């Protein structure tokens, strides 16, 4: 039968990945209410926001206020693409910082205006400085399966990048299917190898659900020994620089599946749906996840 973990950690990325692509500015108070409701649902690890250029991603321009006004519960990440982002994150009091790089050069260039190698070189002292200050460092690896510009990505390039991040001091790798193209065999194979070759790092899977393959990919990753998943309440999300990327796999649907499998997450599906209800009026995309639909129809 299947080999499954007893516990899984959900890393909620809705306030960051979920909202970064929204064209209309979501008000700071509404973001904070969403974050508070997610914390109330039992979420203990969350990406709050990004310290990126407000010219590139205007939606994240309120990053400082979001960090300062969020109650400290568990591990709260802020994204930082470079030294300036890390500096701003530290100044706001962030304790956990997520750096991000694409395996694919073309994607990295569009996303952070540098080649992958230039980004890695620039991040080396940034990570060293964060580690020296006792900060938990998460490294997000985009286009780990497919790239919107280069197509299929060679897993050996992903593994090499992951090893480089670990050598640089990263505590966690969040390995992403940015445009939701991976299949369960690819998911299993990559995560199994990463688990074997990098057994001492926190390993997290980040699936966008563009082709509705994310749940199958999560089940495959569970078999490979992954017990940390990035998910987004309401299935919100997408990277502005990855054409074709839609939302992340929905927190409420993943937690429901894990609940039915007897895997503990500490997260309450109904309360996640209530949090989705808090943000739903402020986002442009219709929310159509399985569990939220049941919740709206009073069937949960
Ligand atoms: P650049 O234009 O090359 O930056 O952009 P620069 O270093 O030349 O600086 C230009 C200006 O930006 C300067 O200001 C800098 O001070 C400022 P000016 O002198 O013109 O007034 N600047 C900054 N301001 C605020 N925060 C900063 C920062 N850095 C420079 N950190 C840059 C390079 C990286 C800044 C830009 O490309 C950028 O902000 N990109 C962010 C892209 C992004 O947020 N993408 C989405 C997140 S990643 C994602 O979603 C994928 C993930 O979910 C996993 C997956 O699904 O694949 C994680
Ligand atoms: Mg993403």
């Amino acid at each position: 039968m299947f080999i499954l973990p007893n516990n899984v950690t959900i890393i909620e990325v809705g306030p960051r990945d979920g909202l970064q692509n929204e064209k209309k500015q979501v008000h700071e108070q509404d973001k904070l209410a969403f974050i508070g409701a997610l914390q109330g649902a039992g979420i203990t690890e969350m990406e709050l926001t990004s310290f990126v250029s407000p010219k590139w991603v205007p939606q994240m321009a309120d990053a400082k206020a979001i960090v300062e006004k969020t109650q400290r519960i568990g591990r709260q990440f802020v994204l930082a693409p470079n030294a300036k982002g890390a500096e701003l994150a530290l100044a706001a009091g962030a304790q956990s910082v997520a750096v991000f790089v694409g395996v694919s050069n073309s994607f990295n260039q569009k996303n952070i205006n540098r080649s992958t190698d230039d980004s890695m070189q620039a991040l080396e002292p940034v990570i060293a400085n964060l580690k020296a200050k006792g900060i938990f460092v998460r490294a997000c690896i985009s286009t780990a399966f497919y790239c919107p510009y280069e197509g299929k990505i060679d897993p050996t390039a992903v593994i090499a990048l992951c090893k480089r991040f670990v050598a640089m001091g990263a505590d966690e790798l969040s390995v992403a299917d940015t445009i939701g193209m991976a299949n369960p065999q690819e998911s299993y194979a990559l995560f199994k190898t990463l688990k074997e070759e990098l057994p001492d790092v926190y390993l997290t899977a980040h699936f966008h659900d563009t082709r509705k393959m994310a749940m199958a990919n999560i089940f495959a990753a569970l078999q490979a020994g992954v017990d940390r998943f990035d998910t987004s309440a309401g299935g919100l999300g997408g990277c502005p620089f990855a054409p074709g990327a839609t939302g992340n796999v929905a927190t409420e649907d993943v937690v429901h599946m894990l609940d039915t499998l007897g895997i503990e997450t500490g997260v309450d599906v109904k309360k996640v749906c209530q949090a989705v209800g808090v943000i739903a009026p402020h986002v442009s995309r219709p929310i159509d996840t399985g569990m939220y639909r049941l919740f709206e129809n009073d069937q949960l």
Side-chain angles (χ1 to χ4, degrees):
M1 261 314 255
F2 303 118
I3 300 163
L4 297 168
N6 293 325
N7 299 282
V8 154
T9 302
I10 295 291
I11 299 95
E12 170 63 47
V13 299
R16 193 281 302 172
D17 204 332
L19 298 181
Q20 69 184 8
N21 218 5
E22 278 296 317
K23 296 288 168 278
K24 201 171 133 250
Q25 189 64 35
V26 179
H27 195 275
E28 183 190 304
Q29 290 313 321
D30 298 323
K31 290 181 182 176
L32 291 169
F34 181 40
I35 291 168
L38 289 165
Q39 290 178 328
I43 295 287
T44 53
E45 300 204 24
M46 185 165 5
E47 283 186 357
L48 292 183
T49 183
S50 306
F51 286 92
V52 292
S53 163
K55 287 187 196 130
W56 284 61
V57 188
Q59 188 62 249
M60 298 284 114
D62 55 6
K64 184 171 187 289
I66 296 296
V67 176
E68 287 175 351
K69 294 180 188 172
T70 294
Q71 215 191 324
R72 301 265 161 110
I73 296 176
R75 196 175 279 141
Q76 295 165 346
F77 298 99
V78 299
L79 264 64
N82 54 16
K84 174 151 187 179
E87 198 183 296
L88 293 171
L90 288 175
Q95 297 293 310
S96 307
V97 172
V99 296
F100 53 100
V101 156
V103 185
S104 138
N105 228 11
S106 323
F107 172 76
N108 202 65
Q109 197 75 46
K110 298 262 188 212
N111 198 34
I112 39 184
N113 209 20
R114 304 279 181 279
S115 71
T116 301
D117 202 53
D118 285 352
S119 289
M120 290 302 283
Q121 280 186 34
L123 284 175
E124 189 152 8
V126 174
I127 294 177
N129 183 39
L130 290 169
K131 290 310 304 166
K133 293 191 162 66
I135 301 294
F136 184 98
V137 175
R138 160 172 160 104
C140 301
I141 291 107
S142 288
T143 59
F145 296 92
Y146 289 86
C147 164
Y149 310 103
E150 295 181 16
K152 172 109 179 98
I153 296 295
D154 180 355
T156 55
V158 184
I159 293 156
L161 196 71
C162 288
K163 285 186 173 168
R164 202 166 158 192
F165 265 128
V166 172
M168 279 158 62
D171 300 287
E172 179 187 12
L173 301 168
S174 168
V175 177
D177 182 18
T178 309
I179 53 172
M181 273 188 84
N183 69 39
Q185 274 171 340
E186 291 165 327
S187 166
Y188 180 83
L190 182 61
F191 285 110
K192 181 96 181 147
T193 309
L194 288 171
K195 269 278 171 201
E196 281 165 7
E197 300 210 10
L198 295 166
D200 299 327
V201 71
Y202 286 87
L203 182 62
T204 302
H206 178 113
F207 290 109
H208 284 263
D209 204 14
T210 316
R211 291 167 183 78
K212 299 289 167 216
M213 299 277 273
M215 206 64 93
N217 286 327
I218 287 178
F219 197 71
L222 283 167
Q223 297 296 303
V226 177
D227 59 2
R228 295 174 59 82
F229 294 94
D230 290 351
T231 64
S232 172
L236 300 171
C239 175
F241 309 101
T246 58
N248 291 85
V249 64
T251 306
E252 57 274 26
D253 290 354
V254 174
V255 172
H256 168 73
M257 178 179 79
L258 297 172
D259 281 351
T260 66
L261 293 169
I263 299 172
E264 292 283 334
T265 61
V267 178
D268 182 314
V269 171
K270 197 165 184 176
K271 288 186 178 165
V272 173
C273 290
Q274 285 164 354
V276 174
V278 168
I279 202 68
H282 309 291
V283 294
S284 55
R285 274 190 40 204
I287 291 171
D288 190 29
T289 69
M291 296 314 285
Y292 188 65
R293 222 178 306 135
L294 290 174
F295 170 79
E296 276 196 307
N297 294 329
D298 276 334
Q299 290 174 322
L300 240 193

